[in-house]
Amino acid sequence: MKLFDAHCHLQDPRILNKAPKLISTALDSGLLNFAVNGVSEKDWHLVKEMGDNYPSVIPCFGVHPWYVPQRSPNWFTTLKEFFETTPSAAVGEIGLDKGSKGREIDFNDQIEVFRQQLQLAKELKKPASVHCVRAFGDLLHIVNDIGPFPDGLLLHSYLGSAEMVPEFVKSGAYFSLSGYIMPMKVQKAKKMLKTIPLERILLESDAPDALPHLELSSLFLVDEDPSLPQEIFAHGRTAASNVLDYVANLLEISKEELAEISYKNSIRLFSYQGSKVALG
């Protein structure tokens, strides 16, 4: 069984020193690729370094909405330079946030920074990994204005409504699912999942952020390892303790079938010009 982690943050200081072990163990277990997303100018060099050092890592550069206030006056020039020197990179993490943290950040600033990066992704013909919290109406408006996106949009940890799925599909969106889907009401989650075309479903760990809802080990298919941070393994194992099992169960397909579908979808999305992955 092959898996592709469509969105994670292995450069995060909480797990950076454990990344080599995580990657090697995951590769041995069938998890073959990681789309590692930067969040601000301060970590792009770490993401680039990780991409240079590991063939399995797809580097992604972007300014996350939480870090919009910290951007430098030259942030966009710097971002474009990273893409020039890293042809294998995709765009991300970018987006909009009206949640508890996002409300502290001027929304007009968020929109301006998001639009610039989304436009850049389209011009570079690269997929963009998009964060959206309580701003799906705003997101759809901007996506419709700038799009469509033939090279793909990745709506990461998608928790939007079932009703919005067809509109996002028209724009070229893929829907990436993480442990954050688990606290959703089952019927709501099932309705949303059944609306997503199977050829648009991706799986992600969002490591380390989704850890309250998902053991890192469960998507990474690694056994408990004493060298890894114990909080990763602090959550009880149940029959639906990982996103692969959980989503497959709601879709009423086998986890092997979902793994194959999501892996092929990820390869298709990330097989842009210059990428490390290629369509088989």
Side-chain angles (χ1 to χ4, degrees):
M1 187 161 59
K2 293 190 284 191
L3 284 172
F4 192 124
D5 189 347
H7 184 104
C8 62
H9 302 278
L10 298 182
Q11 86 287 5
D12 188 288
R14 288 169 285 176
I15 57 171
L16 177 61
N17 64 334
K18 303 297 181 186
K21 177 70 173 176
L22 284 170
I23 291 169
S24 66
T25 313
L27 289 172
D28 290 343
S29 306
L31 202 158
L32 304 182
N33 296 95
F34 314 83
V36 175
N37 283 250
V39 295
S40 75
E41 291 163 88
K42 291 178 181 176
D43 72 0
W44 295 342
H45 70 286
L46 292 173
V47 172
K48 179 173 172 52
E49 192 176 300
M50 205 168 268
D52 290 343
N53 291 339
Y54 298 99
S56 57
V57 167
I58 295 162
C60 308
F61 306 122
V63 174
H64 185 292
W66 293 356
Y67 299 91
V68 163
Q70 298 172 24
R71 74 195 188 281
S72 75
N74 297 319
W75 74 273
F76 196 57
T77 301
T78 305
L79 180 62
K80 288 189 283 189
E81 286 169 356
F82 266 89
F83 286 113
E84 285 167 14
T85 59
T86 321
S88 62
V91 178
E93 179 174 354
I94 66 175
L96 302 172
D97 196 309
K98 285 182 172 176
S100 56
K101 205 161 179 177
R103 279 198 298 269
E104 300 168 6
I105 297 151
D106 185 280
F107 196 63
N108 287 327
D109 283 354
Q110 289 190 43
I111 288 173
E112 181 188 344
V113 170
F114 175 59
R115 288 184 70 103
Q116 280 183 267
Q117 295 180 101
L118 200 56
Q119 186 67 50
L120 180 63
K122 185 167 182 175
E123 289 168 9
L124 295 176
K125 297 185 176 179
K126 293 176 181 287
S129 193
V130 177
H131 166 110
C132 186
V133 174
R134 297 182 182 171
F136 283 99
D138 303 277
L139 176 62
L140 186 59
H141 175 76
I142 293 169
V143 162
N144 285 340
D145 187 35
I146 297 177
F149 299 89
D151 301 288
L153 282 181
L154 184 159
L155 301 182
H156 118 79
S157 288
Y158 185 73
L159 296 175
S161 69
E163 290 73 22
M164 282 189 151
V165 167
E167 291 301 311
F168 281 120
V169 168
K170 283 181 202 169
S171 74
Y174 288 71
F175 303 81
S176 190
L177 306 166
S178 74
Y180 284 118
I181 196 173
M182 292 181 189
M184 274 180 87
K185 289 182 178 173
V186 171
Q187 286 311 103
K188 186 182 177 186
K190 198 167 193 171
K191 182 184 176 187
M192 181 262 282
L193 286 171
K194 294 273 191 178
T195 316
I196 300 172
L198 284 176
E199 68 273 13
R200 294 277 163 177
I201 287 180
L202 310 174
L203 297 176
E204 63 171 83
S205 69
D206 195 23
D209 292 328
L211 291 183
H213 309 290
L214 169 71
E215 293 172 289
L216 186 60
S217 61
S218 58
L219 183 57
F220 279 47
L221 302 178
V222 299
D223 294 324
E224 186 161 346
D225 183 321
S227 73
L228 297 175
Q230 283 309 294
E231 60 267 26
I232 288 175
F233 306 106
H235 311 287
R237 293 175 184 273
T238 66
S241 68
N242 77 63
V243 70
L244 177 65
D245 279 347
Y246 191 77
V247 173
N249 185 48
L250 291 183
L251 286 172
E252 298 168 346
I253 61 177
S254 72
K255 66 179 182 180
E256 289 79 12
E257 188 178 356
L258 178 58
E260 183 180 1
I261 288 167
S262 62
Y263 180 78
K264 285 181 177 176
N265 292 345
S266 296
I267 293 291
R268 186 187 323 119
L269 177 63
F270 285 100
S271 61
Y272 46 87
Q273 188 173 1
S275 171
K276 295 179 175 185
V277 301
L279 286 167

